[in-house]
Amino acid sequence: MLVTIAVVLLLLVVLIATDTDFPVGLGAPIGLALGALLLIPQRRLLSELNLTAAEGRAILEAERLRRNGVADLPPQARAQRETLRGRIWMAVGLISIVIFVVAARYFFSKAGQTVEEDAPTDVWFGVSFFAGFAALCVAPGALWQAKNHREAARAFESLGVEPAE
């Protein structure tokens, strides 16, 4: 990773020194190539262990839970833990949606207006753009996490139910 960052910085220095524009059309392929380069060590380790990426993630998650002591909790306690996490993510998602709605309403109400040349800058216009964009990025992920934690809580609740005799 450090070598990759050094190469990118060197490339940027060369582009700036030669006063060359960055080739915008090559941004995505360059990003994909950098991502692939950064994943080489992990892929090599997985192939040496004859594991798929999903198996590797599952092993790491199980080890993380074991080290945290969460794996030793009874199913009902884990269900309560996942329910709480789901509620927190749901609150984050709903707050993000509210922030997006407020920011979008303000932004679009001011976006088409003509501004006089010497008028003071409307700082809230810029804030509403960035807050709305951030909320738009956060909300789907937070709601998805809430759903995942809710499903995990249901799974642990079903494990904790003792069969009636």
Side-chain angles (χ1 to χ4, degrees):
M1 181 173 84
L2 294 175
V3 171
T4 305
I5 291 172
V7 168
V8 169
L9 289 176
L10 181 65
L11 179 65
L12 286 174
V13 167
V14 169
L15 287 173
I16 291 169
T18 59
D19 198 28
T20 306
D21 291 335
F22 183 77
V24 178
L26 296 177
I30 290 172
L32 290 171
L34 289 175
L37 284 174
L38 292 174
L39 289 177
I40 288 173
Q42 288 85 359
R43 290 179 188 232
R44 187 175 347 146
L45 178 62
L46 286 174
S47 67
E48 288 174 2
L49 297 173
N50 291 326
L51 295 173
T52 65
E55 291 170 336
R57 278 192 296 276
I59 290 169
L60 289 174
E61 179 66 18
E63 180 62 18
R64 185 183 63 80
L65 291 175
R66 186 189 66 78
R67 287 184 181 192
N68 290 341
V70 175
D72 297 332
L73 292 175
Q76 192 60 29
R78 287 184 79 176
Q80 289 173 347
R81 185 175 193 263
E82 292 298 321
T83 300
L84 177 63
R85 287 180 169 206
R87 287 179 181 161
I88 291 170
W89 279 112
M90 180 63 76
V92 168
L94 293 176
I95 290 169
S96 296
I97 290 172
V98 169
I99 290 171
F100 173 73
V101 169
V102 170
R105 185 172 176 167
Y106 185 83
F107 179 81
F108 288 114
S109 70
K110 301 287 183 179
Q113 293 180 355
T114 305
V115 179
E116 290 186 27
E117 189 172 324
D118 295 330
T121 305
D122 184 7
V123 176
W124 291 107
F125 182 71
V127 169
S128 68
F129 173 78
F130 289 109
F133 182 73
L136 184 62
C137 293
V138 169
L143 296 175
W144 180 66
Q145 283 292 331
K147 180 184 80 70
N148 288 344
H149 285 289
R150 216 173 28 248
E151 289 173 356
R154 284 190 201 119
F156 286 121
E157 285 173 353
S158 68
L159 289 176
V161 175
E162 309 229 350
E165 293 182 24

